[in-house]
Amino acid sequence: MIELRHLKALTTLRETGSMVRAAERLCLTQSALSHLFREMEDRHEQPLFVRKSRPLRFTSAGLRLLQLADDVLPRVAVAQRDLARLASGQAGRLNIAIECHSCYQWLMPTLDAYRDDWPEVELDLSSGFHFAPLPALVRGDLDLVVTSNPDQSLKGIHYEPLFSFEMCLAVNRKHPLADRKWVEPQDLAGEVQITYPVERERLDIFQHFLDPAGIEPAAVRTAELTVMMVQLVVSGRGVCALPNWALHEYLQKGFVSQLRLGKSGLWSTLYAAVREEMLEQAFLRDFFVTAKDTCFANLNGIRSA
């Protein structure tokens, strides 16, 4: 018997390209995932993919099951969505605010896909850069806030983890630090730090890297857009810290060099904050699924939270 969990595991392996990342995405141990694939192969009496191949190669049997998965899993998702509509009603409102300038890169395709699945849900999007969105969420002015800074002191708020990402430092390719693999806080004491125009305590580079070490940059310069920040770095006006996935396209084009913040890197998690009372709404739960699927399909370097 072919089970949905088997098809999901196989498609995840195809998307991630490795057992380690697939297990992480599925929230399983690598041993449990290996056992699952062995169970499938024993059942079908043939291997499904070539172990230790780079890139990962599927056998004819594996490709046939992937073809089945591509046909069946979307139809199952649609059926589950339809059943959820019948159970809890179709209409609703999602007034969304974001505290992450770079998030438009994945949020817009997420909203496009979500509108197709839930046309009856009223969607509204606003920037959370110039006001405090989490208190507005508590008051009911907002329905969902995308944030990497959860405030645990606020009662009645649920923080749904979307994905984890690494904050990295972008420097000019001719910068003295460009050949380094990572930097320590003191390396940035004489640098102009380019940031988004938000409060210092909402910026990971300060909150989790410079401030704990008591390091102050030479100056702070702000820019509204990611592309503006990168352009300033390219022109030698300073350095900036951005999520690894936001820097990917600029690295591919050879515009900047990327360094880790500390030897182990500086990792953060992005959350969708909602009021606990809304968690039973099917349209909200499906937004979580759509957002995660879109992010893992389109963003480089992220991990399951």
Side-chain angles (χ1 to χ4, degrees):
M1 181 182 296
I2 299 173
E3 301 180 32
L4 292 178
R5 65 191 181 99
H6 293 158
L7 297 180
K8 180 62 176 175
L10 207 57
T11 58
T12 302
L13 181 62
R14 177 183 60 185
E15 292 168 3
T16 60
S18 80
M19 290 284 287
V20 173
R21 290 195 294 272
E24 184 180 79
R25 176 91 64 87
L26 293 166
C27 299
L28 296 173
T29 64
Q30 190 174 344
S31 174
L33 184 59
S34 295
H35 179 77
L36 180 66
F37 286 131
R38 289 294 184 190
E39 175 186 313
M40 295 172 64
E41 292 175 328
D42 289 345
R43 184 174 297 180
H44 299 294
E45 299 181 340
Q46 55 191 312
L48 301 179
F49 55 93
V50 180
R51 263 72 175 177
K52 298 182 179 179
S53 58
R54 294 291 184 275
L56 187 69
R57 289 188 293 111
F58 290 91
T59 65
S60 296
L63 291 172
R64 181 62 186 91
L65 286 176
L66 284 170
Q67 184 182 37
L68 176 65
D70 290 338
D71 178 49
V72 170
L73 292 179
R75 294 165 63 186
V76 170
V78 170
Q80 290 174 328
R81 194 174 293 119
D82 289 343
L83 290 171
R85 284 193 179 101
L86 291 173
S88 63
Q90 299 182 8
R93 183 195 79 164
L94 271 182
N95 192 356
I96 302 171
I98 60 173
E99 289 189 321
C100 165
H101 283 70
S102 307
C103 288
Y104 286 107
Q105 183 175 337
W106 61 264
L107 185 58
M108 302 315 292
T110 294
L111 294 179
D112 285 344
Y114 185 77
R115 285 190 189 94
D116 291 340
D117 296 331
W118 294 89
E120 305 88 354
V121 174
E122 179 184 350
L123 290 173
D124 194 12
L125 179 63
S126 60
S127 162
F129 309 136
H130 305 298
F131 69 100
L134 288 175
L137 176 65
V138 174
R139 294 193 303 268
D141 299 333
L142 298 171
D143 303 304
L144 186 149
V145 175
V146 178
T147 181
S148 60
N149 295 293
D151 185 347
Q152 302 297 344
S153 68
L154 296 177
K155 303 300 182 184
I157 299 299
H158 168 79
Y159 295 94
E160 179 72 15
L162 299 176
F163 60 84
S164 293
F165 61 94
E166 184 177 6
M167 289 295 295
C168 295
L169 189 74
V171 302
N172 183 286
R173 294 183 67 188
K174 296 182 179 179
H175 193 285
L177 295 172
D179 293 331
R180 300 264 295 272
K181 292 183 178 180
W182 72 85
V183 293
E184 299 295 345
Q186 57 268 25
D187 295 323
L188 304 184
E191 301 293 336
V192 174
Q193 189 68 47
I194 303 166
T195 74
Y196 294 116
V198 299
E199 295 91 341
R200 181 179 175 128
E201 58 269 18
R202 291 163 67 182
L203 294 168
D204 288 344
I205 183 68
F206 285 106
Q207 185 179 8
H208 302 298
F209 193 67
L210 295 178
D211 288 351
I215 299 298
E216 188 70 24
V220 176
R221 179 171 181 172
T222 62
E224 287 279 353
L225 303 175
T226 302
V227 66
M228 295 170 60
M229 295 173 66
V230 173
Q231 182 56 47
L232 289 170
V233 172
V234 171
S235 61
R237 306 294 182 86
V239 301
C240 73
L242 287 170
N244 53 354
W245 49 268
L247 274 175
H248 179 75
E249 64 172 300
Y250 303 108
L251 291 173
Q252 293 295 101
K253 295 175 181 177
F255 290 167
V256 296
S257 293
Q258 175 180 294
L259 293 79
R260 307 193 82 177
L261 293 168
K263 186 174 182 179
S264 300
L266 178 60
W267 285 82
S268 185
T269 298
L270 200 66
Y271 300 89
V274 298
R275 291 185 299 281
E276 291 177 349
E277 67 200 45
M278 291 187 64
L279 287 174
E280 296 304 315
Q281 298 293 333
F283 67 83
L284 177 63
R285 297 197 304 271
D286 197 60
F287 180 86
F288 295 155
V289 173
T290 303
K292 292 176 185 179
D293 287 348
T294 302
C295 291
F296 281 102
N298 294 284
L299 302 182
N300 289 276
I302 64 174
R303 297 178 179 174
S304 296

